[in-house]
Amino acid sequence: MRFRTSIPSALHALAVFSIGVALSPTTFAQSGAESYPDKPVRIIVPFAPGGSTDLIGRTLAQKMSETWNQTVVVENRGGGATIIGTEAAIKSKPDGYTLLIGVSTLATNPAMQPKLPYDTMRDLEPISMVARAPIVAYINPGFAPQDLKGLIAFAKSTAGGVHYGSGGTGTVTHLAAELLKDRTGAPLTHIVYKGGTPAMADAIAGHIPMTFATVGQALQHYRAKQLRALGVTSAERYPSIPDVPTFKEQGIDIVTSEWFALFAPAGTPKPIIDKLNAEVRKIVALPNLADRLTAIELISSSPQELADFVRRETNQWGELIRKVGLKGS
């Protein structure tokens, strides 16, 4: 009797085990990736509408929507040095239906903001790099220096040094100038503006002699000869401004850029991350796509390459921010 009753029990246990294996988390994740996305996806842009980050987010959303035949929307969550939008993404369900366009502040905020409500490396899942734009030292056409060495010499020989504007304290445009100051000893004084546009306007008007901005931010003013460019922080000469020498060409070993990348909340299943990574790679490789993104270089990476890059950026900028003594608001 015991033997007969044990057979159904054994079969039942085997069946339960088989179902458990068939419906393991890995199987669920793979199944979810195959059908993903089966509902609308939102991409959080941690800035107000307009500007490079918003344009990049909307370009990704449009192309993803076309490929998937699914709605992909951009949600602008500006404010707080991108902290508001980033935190909103981090607190979202890690299922691939909320994504974030992260920018360089992900690497600078940990040192700038001592009470940051999240850990970038722990709370975000890297997907892929999307784009980058190097920084240019732009000057008023009437300002004397003709190159970076001339700027450094002028600053060192002038009482009070040289004043410059940027997009704001702790931005990469500001930090590129601070890095130049740190590497050369040139006395450069930061004039804080609420954004790159008013800083450029004052440089054009001659209220300040120079400003640091991405290539695209001032490209039309440069082409109109309202500003001159002393150098660009790309590794090689940049296609949009091929006549402008790099910092490295001029003996200053600075290579940096404003960057844009796609992230998801930590815990998003790897098969979905991989599917998103493959999609970004296809999008940035599309011909003529860069035409709508003026002076922005489209690039891609593996999730691990992005994680390693953000870690290096965080360490580099953190060291400089602490050395200079910068603090966020």
Side-chain angles (χ1 to χ4, degrees), residues 76-304:
N76 295 93
R77 290 282 194 98
T82 72
I83 294 172
I84 292 172
T86 302
E87 187 175 16
I90 285 170
K91 289 183 175 179
S92 300
K93 187 176 180 181
D95 56 4
Y97 290 94
T98 297
L99 308 174
L100 170 74
I101 298 291
V103 297
S104 304
T105 50
L106 287 178
T108 59
N109 275 340
M112 289 287 296
Q113 308 286 345
K115 295 183 179 180
L116 199 63
Y118 52 80
D119 183 308
T120 300
M121 302 307 299
R122 181 194 65 208
D123 297 332
L124 284 173
E125 205 75 58
I127 296 172
S128 176
M129 286 288 288
V130 178
R132 64 187 173 194
I135 312 304
V136 178
Y138 289 108
I139 65 171
N140 180 277
F143 190 37
Q146 298 298 307
D147 54 25
L148 289 175
K149 289 184 178 180
L151 170 68
I152 294 162
F154 183 93
K156 288 182 176 179
S157 64
T158 303
V162 171
H163 291 71
Y164 72 91
S166 78
T169 302
T171 60
V172 173
T173 53
H174 171 214
L175 293 176
E178 289 296 331
L179 193 56
L180 175 63
K181 178 180 178 179
D182 182 68
R183 296 277 175 86
T184 65
L188 304 175
T189 301
H190 186 214
I191 305 299
V192 181
Y193 286 85
K194 292 183 178 180
T197 300
M200 273 188 293
D202 270 9
I204 292 169
H207 300 313
I208 54 173
M210 68 182 304
T211 185
F212 286 74
T214 63
V215 175
Q217 283 176 321
L219 185 59
Q220 69 181 48
H221 303 297
Y222 169 73
R223 288 175 173 170
K225 302 188 184 303
Q226 295 173 311
L227 291 170
R228 285 196 292 120
L230 297 184
V232 59
T233 63
S234 49
E236 299 175 348
R237 293 209 178 194
Y238 204 64
S240 301
I241 47 173
D243 54 332
V244 178
T246 67
F247 279 46
K248 288 193 72 172
E249 278 182 75
Q250 299 179 71
I252 301 168
D253 189 14
I254 295 176
V255 177
T256 191
S257 63
E258 177 72 80
W259 51 265
F260 312 83
L262 192 64
F263 296 84
T268 301
K270 186 177 184 300
I272 290 178
I273 295 294
D274 291 342
K275 187 169 186 176
L276 285 163
N277 179 268
E279 188 60 31
V280 171
R281 287 178 181 272
K282 286 193 295 183
I283 290 171
V284 302
L286 290 172
N288 303 321
L289 185 64
D291 292 348
R292 70 175 71 177
L293 300 168
T294 305
I296 296 175
E297 180 186 6
L298 295 174
I299 56 174
S300 61
S301 71
S302 71
Q304 187 59 55

